[in-house]
Amino acid sequence: ALAITCPHCAAAQITKARHSGSLPAPAPEPGDLHTDLKGPFPISINGYKYAIFFFTDEFSRYVFVRFLKSKSESEQIHATKSVIAEFNSMVFTPTTSDGRPLPRSTVRHIRRDHESAMESHGFESFRVDEGFHTTASPPHDHDLNPISERVNRTISEKATAMNSLANGPPAFWAHA
């Protein structure tokens, strides 16, 4: 039996599951995002009931988060636009050996679950206009979107443990 000695870790239901400890080799350049939606939260702050996480490819393992008041198509499109703009502004500009700038990497692919707003005609139109590709894991099988699911779980566990340690009310989970 697994003994969890930290009450805050126990509150977060952290388990010590074995894993390989490795990720696939990174793509040759940044531009792949993995996404997952979390919520609804039991109590909202300022009306935000959901969080959508965008995990960059294995280059930096950077996580973007946007909070949503609903799971609506318009909110998810707005969150995705915001993350793409932030990604595009943060990524480095490669140069040739003589210092001339090459084209910057941009978001070219988003890996996701079957979230209805991201399968809508509106999102498809947005995706085409922005020029990126999406793929979805098979329905009802979250294990086939492993990077996003693990990021979601890690953030949830850490936020729950930090909120518990601070004796914060449940509504402060999102801030943690």
Side-chain angles (χ1 to χ4, degrees):
L2 177 66
I4 298 177
T5 57
C6 169
H8 310 292
C9 295
Q13 299 175 342
I14 294 174
T15 60
K16 291 186 178 181
R18 292 183 183 258
H19 57 84
S20 67
S22 64
L23 287 172
E29 64 181 55
D32 294 342
L33 295 178
H34 303 263
T35 187
D36 199 17
L37 187 71
K38 171 122 179 105
F41 303 128
I43 300 171
S44 68
I45 296 179
N46 299 328
Y48 294 102
K49 294 183 177 185
Y50 298 89
I52 188 166
F53 300 106
F54 290 86
F55 177 76
T56 62
D57 46 33
E58 292 78 24
F59 258 80
S60 68
R61 300 182 185 184
Y62 187 84
V63 177
F64 300 92
V65 63
R66 297 297 185 267
F67 293 99
L68 310 173
K69 292 185 178 184
S70 71
K71 291 171 59 173
S72 72
E73 172 188 301
S74 63
E75 280 198 74
Q76 289 190 45
I77 288 173
H78 180 74
T80 305
K81 279 183 184 179
S82 172
V83 166
I84 288 173
E86 188 175 347
F87 175 92
N88 291 343
S89 72
M90 290 174 59
V91 73
F92 67 95
T93 303
T95 58
T96 62
S97 59
D98 59 350
R100 289 184 311 189
L102 295 169
R104 293 180 93 169
S105 297
T106 58
V107 172
R108 61 183 182 277
H109 180 248
I110 294 180
R111 175 93 174 136
R112 60 180 174 76
D113 288 337
H114 281 272
E115 183 60 46
S116 61
M118 290 191 168
E119 294 183 339
S120 67
H121 293 294
F123 192 87
E124 178 63 13
S125 176
F126 157 68
R127 183 200 66 74
V128 169
D129 291 345
E130 292 291 319
F132 64 88
H133 177 70
T134 64
T135 54
S137 58
H140 313 295
D141 194 347
H142 300 289
D143 292 339
L144 294 177
N145 192 7
I147 294 175
S148 295
E149 294 299 328
R150 185 63 197 142
V151 166
N152 192 335
R153 180 175 171 199
T154 299
I155 291 171
S156 295
E157 290 170 350
K158 301 264 186 226
T160 301
M162 286 189 290
N163 200 35
S164 174
L165 180 63
N167 290 321
F172 283 9
W173 182 94
H175 291 290

